[in-house]
Amino acid sequence: MDDKIIVYRTFYNPIEANIVKARLEDAEIPCFLTDENVATIQPLYNQAIGGVKLNVFDKDVERINTLLADNLELEVPEIETERTENKIVCENCGSTNVSYGIATKNKHSWWVAILAILIAVYPFKANRCYHCYKCGHEFN
């Protein structure tokens, strides 16, 4: 019989399974996913249920193999992780392991502290500065 349905492949990432399913549907190959909802709602159950299963007709396996032979593994675009220009350098130690955020020392200015005491609330405005993770120095 030509209408036998088989599990072609299992995925532990529902997004990857949907991408492969979309590629097959674009090539007009009928397919469907099982256990997708369980894997999406409860990702910790993926091992127990065996992942998201891609189901296809047995007669379409050869077409699917040729379609997905080139890149069954999904390509991830390269992302530039570091910029060499405009790097902030610590004034104290020269490290580039610096980020901008809420200050840890002198977090609140004097006028915010006085206003917070007068209206009996937690200070609502915090100072922001650059913080070096190597030496702990804070600077503007």
Side-chain angles (χ1 to χ4, degrees), residues 7-47:
V7 175
Y8 179 74
R9 184 166 179 213
T10 59
F11 301 89
Y12 287 103
N13 185 350
I15 297 170
E16 185 180 358
N18 277 298
I19 291 171
V20 173
K21 178 184 174 226
R23 288 191 64 203
L24 295 179
E25 288 176 344
D26 285 344
E28 297 180 353
I29 299 173
C31 61
F32 63 95
L33 299 174
T34 54
D35 296 330
E36 176 187 15
N37 292 333
V38 175
T40 304
I41 294 170
Q42 286 291 344
L44 297 176
Y45 290 175
N46 262 347
Q47 277 306 85

Side-chain angles (χ1 to χ4, degrees), residues 81 85 90 128:
T81 56
E85 71 276 353
C90 177
R128 299 178 69 83

Side-chain angles (χ1 to χ4, degrees), residues 20 23-25 27 29 62-71:
V20 173
R23 288 191 64 203
L24 295 179
E25 288 176 344
I29 299 173
E62 292 171 12
R63 279 183 53 203
I64 295 169
N65 287 339
T66 58
L67 178 69
L68 300 178
D70 295 333
N71 54 354

Side-chain angles (χ1 to χ4, degrees), residues 64-83:
I64 295 169
N65 287 339
T66 58
L67 178 69
L68 300 178
D70 295 333
N71 54 354
L72 189 58
E73 297 299 322
L74 298 176
E75 295 178 14
V76 178
E78 291 184 24
I79 299 172
E80 184 179 333
T81 56
E82 278 189 43
R83 288 187 178 177

